[in-house]
Amino acid sequence: MTQKRILSGMQPTNNLHLGNYLGALKNWVDLQDEGAECLYCVVDLHAITQPYDADKLAQSTREIAAAYIAGGIDPEKSVIFAQSSVPAHSQLMWLLATMTQIGKLNRMTQFKDKAGKNSEKAGLGLYAYPVLMAADILTYNATHVPVGDDQKQHLELARDIASTFNHRYGKEHFVQPEPFIIGEATRVMSLKDGTAKMSKSAPSDLSRINLTDDADTIAKKIRKAKTDPDPLPEKIEGLSSRPEADNLVTIYAALSGKAKADVLKEFAGKQFSEFKPALVDVAVAHLEPITNRMSELLAHPEEIDKILTKGGEKANAIAQPILDKTIDIMGFWK
Ligand code: TYM
């Protein structure tokens, strides 16, 4: 196997929340610190697949880049860039679209969730979203893609498209990207309903902790988080039919860098009235420095722009030759 090349991205839609942080960003930082070659993009082309405000898109892109840096991504070590600044993503997407079966796109649960009941009116971009995601990954021949659990199906499709290409053209051109769904919190759930994913689009802001929330807001949201009347169990199996309790223990474990089993050893038999304040302490201690750093960074948008420009150049230098080779293999005139 060639050296690890990591690629991942987040959409510049609303604020990042604890799910984005624990399911993805925190792992991105660990991979960077292990010395892997890392490319982290802000997927602005994905963000326009649903209604959005054109006046705010550029600023949202800067905000996500600031969150990456505040969360620990070092622009000297990792490439941070905007997806739209590398034309290879959209160009490769078209080429890959010609070898993506509609039947496979029809099975994508995220499309069904996002399109809702009115799927006839959903845009082609929302439907083709996973093909663009495959292009994001394949145009760098990324070997590993660290994401939360909800992106698993999209990654399977990207692997599938890579092998279809290689088979059709009889060349081992694209690398099969491996999903990296790691850590204790691959699926952080809503604070209001332990059976629903924590998401940027849920109507109640109390359902999620945003990376921009201050200490008081974090404390209020955890205090109001849904729980059940029982004390915490001794063993992980004791959480199996208690989604809200499971979620809060998972969040505690991920934020404190402990295993869930160890958290339960510490809190077995304790009530939520005791556990929640401990969770507030861990959450605030971990998130407050990130929030503060993010505001400092956003006070100097020109610095973020410089990082994104430089990142775009570096990303282009990797992506373009892979796109050129793809075009060659496909037999185009040039
Ligand atoms: P997005 O912007 O919805 O989410 C960004 C990352 O956060 C993870 N995530 C979660 N993890 C745990 N619990 C949650 N509740 C939770 N909510 C979100 C997501 O799994 C993701 O890793 N399609 C992608 C963006 C994308 C991409 C790519 C990712 C576009 N191209 C190429 C990797 C490689 C998305 O919409 O993520």
Side-chain angles (χ1 to χ4, degrees), residues 207-260:
S207 68
R208 61 186 158 256
I209 293 175
N210 303 303
L211 290 192
T212 46
D213 286 344
D214 61 20
D216 287 345
T217 311
I218 294 174
K220 183 178 90 183
K221 288 180 175 176
I222 293 177
R223 233 180 10 251
K224 292 192 170 226
K226 187 174 169 199
T227 49
D228 57 42
D230 295 333
L232 284 164
E234 273 171 31
K235 297 235 155 61
I236 291 189
E237 301 82 75
L239 292 170
S240 62
S241 54
R242 300 175 62 189
E244 285 82 18
D246 191 3
N247 190 37
L248 295 186
V249 171
T250 301
I251 293 174
Y252 188 100
L255 283 172
S256 59
K258 293 181 181 162
K260 267 161 82 171

Side-chain angles (χ1 to χ4, degrees), residues 7-11 17 19-20 22-24 28 43 46 83 110 114 129 132-133 136-137 145-151 154 185-189 197-200:
L7 178 125
S8 201
M10 301 205 191
Q11 297 193 58
H17 54 66
N20 301 128
L22 294 176
W28 298 5
V43 293
H46 277 110
Q83 181 189 32
Q110 196 149 323
K114 288 191 175 167
Y129 176 117
L132 178 59
M133 181 160 159
D136 297 339
I137 299 165
V145 184
V147 284
D149 177 73
D150 61 343
Q151 296 300 315
H154 289 162
T186 56
R187 193 174 181 83
V188 176
M189 309 309 276
K197 195 181 66 169
M198 183 177 284
S199 91
K200 294 173 188 165

Side-chain angles (χ1 to χ4, degrees), residues 96-274:
L96 300 181
T98 64
M99 51 201 93
T100 307
Q101 291 169 358
I102 284 182
K104 289 188 178 149
L105 290 178
N106 286 341
R107 287 199 282 278
M108 294 291 130
T109 54
Q110 196 149 323
F111 172 74
K112 290 183 198 161
D113 291 347
K114 288 191 175 167
K117 289 197 190 87
N118 222 350
S119 63
E120 287 286 309
K121 293 222 167 109
L124 177 61
L126 189 64
Y127 187 62
Y129 176 117
V131 188
L132 178 59
M133 181 160 159
D136 297 339
I137 299 165
L138 301 185
T139 200
Y140 298 92
N141 263 333
T143 58
H144 295 83
V145 184
V147 284
D149 177 73
D150 61 343
Q151 296 300 315
K152 207 173 178 171
Q153 203 186 21
H154 289 162
L155 276 177
E156 275 159 19
L157 184 73
R159 289 172 60 83
D160 216 68
I161 296 175
S163 55
T164 303
F165 183 98
N166 291 351
H167 187 253
R168 187 174 291 183
Y169 295 96
K171 295 236 159 40
E172 280 309 302
H173 173 54
F174 286 125
V175 171
Q176 286 274 316
E178 292 285 339
F180 248 169
I181 300 174
I182 42 183
E184 284 288 358
T186 56
R187 193 174 181 83
V188 176
M189 309 309 276
S190 154
L191 298 181
K192 289 277 140 206
D193 173 0
T195 63
K197 195 181 66 169
M198 183 177 284
S199 91
K200 294 173 188 165
S201 54
S204 168
D205 194 52
L206 288 174
S207 68
R208 61 186 158 256
I209 293 175
N210 303 303
L211 290 192
T212 46
D213 286 344
D214 61 20
D216 287 345
T217 311
I218 294 174
K220 183 178 90 183
K221 288 180 175 176
I222 293 177
R223 233 180 10 251
K224 292 192 170 226
K226 187 174 169 199
T227 49
D228 57 42
D230 295 333
L232 284 164
E234 273 171 31
K235 297 235 155 61
I236 291 189
E237 301 82 75
L239 292 170
S240 62
S241 54
R242 300 175 62 189
E244 285 82 18
D246 191 3
N247 190 37
L248 295 186
V249 171
T250 301
I251 293 174
Y252 188 100
L255 283 172
S256 59
K258 293 181 181 162
K260 267 161 82 171
D262 292 332
V263 176
L264 289 181
K265 268 189 209 143
E266 205 177 323
F267 289 96
K270 303 255 163 72
Q271 296 291 341
F272 283 103
S273 52
E274 211 169 314

